[in-house]
Amino acid sequence: MDLLNTPDFDFDAYIKTTKALHIVFIIVIVLCNGALIFRIWRQKQFFYSAKYLLLVSLSIGDIFLALFSMVVSTRTLFQDFAIGELTCSLLLTVGVYQTHLINFVHGTGLVVLSAEYMHRCRSNSQRTKTQTDILRGFAISCVPWILGLVIILPLTMAYMDMETCKGVFPISRLQAAGIVSTILPAVIALVTAICVSCIKKDHVPQQQIELTPQQNQVFSNQVSQWNTQGAPVIDGYNKQPEMTPQNTHPTPTAPQYNYPPQTAPYTNYPQQYPPPSYISPPTYTPAMNNTQVNNVVIGLNPNPHITTTPVVINNEKNKILSLALLFFFLVVPQVIFYLAYDLNMDINHNFALPKVAYYSIHDGLMWLMLLRPIFTPLMVIAPSYLQHA
């Protein structure tokens, strides 16, 4: 493809624009994913959360995409490489990582993220914050990378001669590489995210989430209002007025209710005696187990000596669906163009499209794909997703 001999294509302007875009994308990708990792690092005991560790793993992969694949690609624009065995291996690794491996890892990571969310929603066990949780989180975060090394590398790096830096790839193998590395994970991630969004249970088990200051204030005000309406102090709810055979009247100095001294029979002042439901400890039934206050689900604790962390509704499942849609619409178009057009060009690379149109579409879809490691961390940084582990 001799672009210099094309009168309608300004090759110098094309190279300068490509160089500038590479530099800008490298900086922005590193900053966005670095901000995400820093935000997660500030979370309390984030290493106990498999979700956080998986997000950190994916962000590190995107940083490696910028500092390795894109840096090498940018250097090829500024300096010509002499094709040798080491350089051939380097360029092949860059192409496989940027085009296939990172897409597969990210798509598989979204599937694992959905599965981990469904496990948290449907599991009745509470997080214990032990070393086992840390090991489980690291194991979950490594699943996409292990699958990528096992599946993608043999599929994309076979049939390659490192001495001549040439490969004879069957068309079917190239098609399989594009489908397996990108399209299949994107479709599975989107389907699992839709399934997650259909889950009606919008909260996770207790002792995983803490109330925000605003939500804590709402709950405190509600409890204060409840107490002013006659609710007893929980430490003294089982105290009853003392009754003796000689004096069947309630003791005037009952420590809990402090009603004034009376000499009339007990039946003469029933309105001052607390309601019967407050005489004995309340019975906690499933219907009374939770109290919902302004979209905050508070678990009542029958034992006043045990502190239970309240549960907060969040839109985590909607955020997972947004990430899957973002991945699908930013990454899949470039692969479809590669499968539908690039693989169908003849051996002399004769273009059915004008070269200006081809490079506009080809490079435009490539930069669209590279927007994914920028938009993904920005979306995850949103407080509605990182607020809870």
Side-chain angles (χ1 to χ4, degrees):
M1 289 177 288
D2 190 2
L3 297 177
L4 294 175
N5 297 328
T6 305
D8 58 347
F9 193 91
D10 190 345
F11 182 71
D12 292 336
Y14 171 78
I15 292 297
K16 290 179 181 179
T17 303
T18 305
K19 291 178 180 178
L21 287 175
H22 272 81
I23 295 174
V24 171
F25 270 71
I26 290 172
I27 297 174
V28 176
I29 290 174
V30 172
L31 290 179
C32 291
N33 286 276
L36 173 60
I37 294 175
F38 178 74
R39 178 71 182 276
I40 292 177
W41 177 75
R42 293 184 59 187
Q43 298 293 321
K44 182 179 180 180
Q45 297 177 332
F46 73 93
F47 42 83
Y48 290 106
S49 172
K51 181 186 78 174
Y52 283 161
L53 294 177
L54 180 59
L55 292 174
V56 169
S57 174
L58 297 178
S59 294
I60 292 175
D62 287 338
I63 292 177
F64 189 74
L65 168 67
L67 297 182
F68 172 64
S69 296
M70 296 192 67
V71 167
V72 174
S73 300
T74 305
R75 187 179 176 185
T76 59
L77 298 173
F78 286 92
Q79 178 182 353
D80 292 333
F81 278 108
I83 299 299
E85 184 177 356
L86 179 61
T87 303
C88 179
S89 301
L90 178 63
L91 296 178
L92 179 62
T93 304
V94 167
V96 169
Y97 186 85
Q98 180 173 333
T99 307
H100 300 287
L101 183 61
I102 189 61
N103 291 337
F104 180 87
V105 168
H106 191 81
T108 308
L110 292 178
V111 176
V112 176
L113 197 64
S114 299
E116 192 271 340
Y117 174 80
M118 288 189 288
H119 173 73
R120 279 190 286 122
C121 285
R122 299 189 181 279
S123 176
N124 294 325
S125 61
Q126 298 177 351
R127 196 176 61 192
T128 55
K129 292 185 179 181
T130 62
Q131 186 176 5
T132 303
D133 296 292
I134 300 177
L135 297 177
R136 182 176 65 90
F138 275 107
I140 292 176
S141 64
C142 292
V143 168
W145 294 98
I146 295 175
L147 293 177
L149 295 177
V150 172
I151 298 174
I152 299 302
L153 293 187
L155 187 62
T156 56
M157 301 188 71
Y159 301 98
M160 193 70 186
D161 187 359
M162 295 300 177
E163 295 182 357
T164 60
C165 202
K166 294 181 180 179
V168 182
F169 293 92
I171 297 298
S172 59
R173 189 145 187 127
L174 296 176
Q175 292 173 343
I179 294 173
V180 173
S181 66
T182 304
I183 296 180
L184 189 60
V187 172
I188 297 176
L190 186 58
V191 171
T192 55
I194 293 175
C195 295
V196 166
S197 65
C198 295
I199 298 177
K200 294 183 180 180
K201 187 176 181 180
D202 293 329
H203 53 81
V204 295
Q206 294 182 353
Q207 294 185 349
Q208 289 192 1
I209 300 173
E210 296 180 357
L211 286 175
T212 62
Q214 295 81 4
Q215 294 165 341
N216 190 27
Q217 182 64 32
V218 171
F219 177 62
S220 299
N221 295 339
Q222 197 72 11
V223 172
S224 300
Q225 181 180 0
W226 182 55
N227 287 333
T228 57
Q229 295 175 356
V233 179
I234 194 168
D235 290 335
Y237 67 80
N238 58 349
K239 296 180 180 180
Q240 303 181 14
E242 296 180 359
M243 309 280 290
T244 61
Q246 293 79 11
N247 182 15
T248 57
H249 299 157
T251 303
T253 59
Q256 182 179 352
Y257 307 111
N258 296 326
Y259 34 79
Q262 299 288 339
T263 59
Y266 169 73
T267 56
N268 291 340
Y269 54 96
Q271 68 279 5
Q272 295 186 8
Y273 195 80
S277 61
Y278 292 154
I279 296 178
S280 60
T283 302
Y284 288 88
T285 62
M288 300 171 57
N289 191 33
N290 291 323
T291 302
Q292 186 169 352
V293 181
N294 295 337
N295 294 330
V296 180
V297 179
I298 306 299
L300 297 180
N301 185 10
N303 191 338
H305 302 290
I306 299 178
T307 302
T308 302
T309 304
V311 179
V312 181
I313 294 178
N314 61 82
N315 64 344
E316 182 178 351
K317 62 181 183 181
N318 297 326
K319 190 57 65 67
I320 294 176
L321 178 60
S322 301
L323 293 176
L325 289 171
L326 182 72
F327 176 72
F328 186 89
F329 288 109
L330 292 184
V331 177
V332 171
Q334 194 270 343
V335 179
I336 292 178
F337 181 78
Y338 168 76
L339 296 175
Y341 187 83
D342 284 348
L343 293 182
N344 294 324
M345 290 191 302
D346 59 29
I347 193 172
N348 295 321
H349 296 282
N350 293 324
F351 291 89
L353 293 173
K355 289 187 178 181
V356 175
Y358 170 78
Y359 281 102
S360 298
I361 297 174
H362 178 274
D363 289 11
L365 293 177
M366 182 192 70
W367 294 117
L368 183 68
M369 180 183 67
L370 291 175
L371 286 175
R372 196 273 310 157
I374 295 177
F375 288 164
T376 298
L378 293 178
M379 184 177 295
V380 175
I381 286 174
S384 59
Y385 187 71
L386 285 184
Q387 182 179 0
H388 315 301

